[in-house]
Amino acid sequence: MYQKPQNNANFAGAMRDFETDIFNFLRVHFPDVESVEFHGFRLLGCPGKYVCVISVPVVAGTSSDAVMQAGMLEEALSMISEAGSPIHGHEDFSPAGIKVVIVAEDLWRSRPEMMKPRLLAQFGIFRSVFARNTEVRRIDRPAAGRFLERCHTYGDAAARYRYGLFGPGDELLAVACFSSPRVWNKPEGVVKSCEWVRYASLPDVRVTGGMGKVLKAFTEEVRPDDVMSYADMEWTDGSVYRRLGFTEESLRSPVLFAVDPVTYMRTPVSRAGMPQGCLFHLNRGSVKYRLRTGYGDGYKDVDKNIPRLSLLAGV
């Protein structure tokens, strides 16, 4: 079992300012919001709602402290999953029904224009658009990059195919990026596989069926045997991929970030090294998912009579 770091007072002190900022923001929209200490972290939520926010301060001065804090977070999440949170009692719903939202301090401070509407969306405050009222079109790299830098946790990324999801008034609502196909020799045959590199929508928008619509457009154009992607466990439980028909394949290890204590911008230590005076944050890793599309001849066991990507509707 992980033990709290010896300098845990530093963790607690840093949480006060950070948690108050989130609490005051939520209280504007939800006057009955509650805030409690829980296993070294701060929980925020509203009685009767299915959302529990857990704030994660970024104050670790060493990589080992970041690892300890990450272990404490996993213990706290496990306890909420098994027994619920102090804010959400069993009289309202089971612990399994609680949606836990992790808000890391560096993202909250460095990307408030993205994080604040994202958080409200978890509580049901968002613009709703149905995919049937949208159009998928290829877009260029600059347009995709500008959108992703504003709306995706990790910004833009290298990709071969970029799609925009346009809504009423030709508003760009979401962007999806995919890699070029790579060919693999597998026991099932020669498989052409692509990676779904990025997907992001406007932080205050939920496009019902949006992910499925852009995925369908891509697979019909490129016709890969399969598509793989990673679900960031710091923000999603991967359920949207499962609803699309993806299956879980493996886990990717947590990433250690160096965080600038002034700007709170995070950079993987693998790229930035360990700059003097930086803070550290260890994320929760990611889950690798894969979808067999039904196109091509790579997988001999795919039933060609099954409608391709039949699970995409409504996601």
Side-chain angles (χ1 to χ4, degrees):
M1 177 178 292
Y2 285 93
Q3 299 296 319
K4 294 183 181 181
Q6 293 298 314
N7 62 343
N8 190 55
N10 293 334
F11 282 82
M15 280 198 286
R16 298 294 186 263
D17 176 53
F18 171 45
E19 73 199 17
T20 299
D21 191 21
I22 300 177
F23 178 81
N24 289 337
F25 172 73
L26 288 175
R27 189 166 57 178
V28 172
H29 303 275
F30 308 102
D32 60 342
V33 65
E34 296 182 8
S35 173
V36 298
E37 290 274 0
F38 182 77
H39 198 65
F41 295 93
R42 176 66 56 174
L43 302 186
L44 301 101
C46 302
K49 291 189 177 292
Y50 288 72
V51 181
C52 174
V53 179
I54 181 166
S55 61
V56 180
V58 177
V59 293
T62 67
S63 58
S64 59
D65 272 354
V67 171
M68 287 185 181
Q69 186 188 32
M72 291 165 57
L73 176 61
E74 293 303 322
E75 287 189 351
L77 293 172
S78 178
M79 293 169 68
I80 293 172
S81 175
E82 294 174 2
S85 78
I87 297 173
H88 304 89
H90 292 281
E91 67 276 7
D92 292 326
F93 45 81
S94 70
I98 300 174
K99 179 176 179 59
V100 178
V101 179
I102 298 171
V103 179
E105 181 179 11
D106 61 326
L107 293 178
W108 181 263
R109 292 189 183 278
S110 66
R111 308 283 299 281
E113 74 290 342
M114 178 186 74
M115 292 300 295
K116 290 182 177 181
R118 261 194 191 185
L119 185 56
L120 290 181
Q122 299 297 323
F123 282 88
I125 300 178
F126 55 84
R127 290 190 289 150
S128 181
V129 180
F130 289 98
R132 64 174 177 268
N133 298 322
T134 66
E135 178 186 0
V136 179
R137 300 200 300 266
R138 291 281 293 272
I139 59 176
D140 60 21
R141 180 170 186 171
R146 288 191 297 270
F147 188 95
L148 291 171
E149 289 297 332
R150 290 190 295 115
C151 302
H152 194 280
T153 302
Y154 298 108
D156 194 14
R160 173 65 178 84
Y161 301 93
R162 300 173 179 85
Y163 296 85
L165 191 64
F166 294 85
D170 212 35
E171 181 184 17
L172 182 56
L173 301 176
V175 165
C177 300
F178 300 85
S179 73
S180 297
R182 296 185 65 184
V183 177
W184 302 90
N185 289 310
K186 295 188 175 184
E188 300 91 338
V190 179
V191 174
K192 185 170 70 172
S193 178
C194 293
E195 180 179 356
W196 192 350
V197 181
R198 290 284 191 269
Y199 178 85
S201 63
L202 293 173
D204 66 335
V205 171
R206 292 283 180 87
V207 185
T208 303
M211 290 184 71
K213 188 164 185 173
V214 294
L215 178 59
K216 187 171 188 290
F218 167 72
T219 54
E220 288 182 346
E221 178 180 354
V222 181
R223 304 176 71 84
D225 292 297
D226 70 37
V227 177
M228 55 78 62
S229 190
Y230 291 96
D232 182 1
M233 294 173 63
E234 197 168 53
W235 191 253
T236 178
D237 62 1
S239 59
V240 65
Y241 286 101
R242 294 190 291 274
R243 291 198 298 272
L244 284 167
F246 284 76
T247 56
E248 182 177 330
E249 188 169 278
S250 61
L251 299 176
R252 187 157 68 174
S253 300
V255 176
L256 180 66
F257 292 94
V259 179
D260 187 301
V262 177
T263 65
Y264 281 90
M265 297 298 294
R266 63 166 64 172
T267 307
V269 166
S270 59
R271 293 209 313 261
M274 296 188 179
Q276 187 164 356
C278 73
L279 301 173
F280 295 93
H281 174 70
L282 187 70
N283 76 2
R284 302 187 64 223
S286 55
V287 180
K288 184 177 182 179
Y289 286 92
R290 191 177 300 275
L291 172 72
R292 295 186 181 185
T293 66
Y295 292 109
D297 298 319
Y299 292 107
K300 305 301 184 183
D301 60 344
V302 174
D303 186 347
K304 304 302 182 183
N305 296 318
I306 297 177
R308 295 183 177 96
L309 304 178
S310 61
L311 297 178
L312 299 185
V315 180

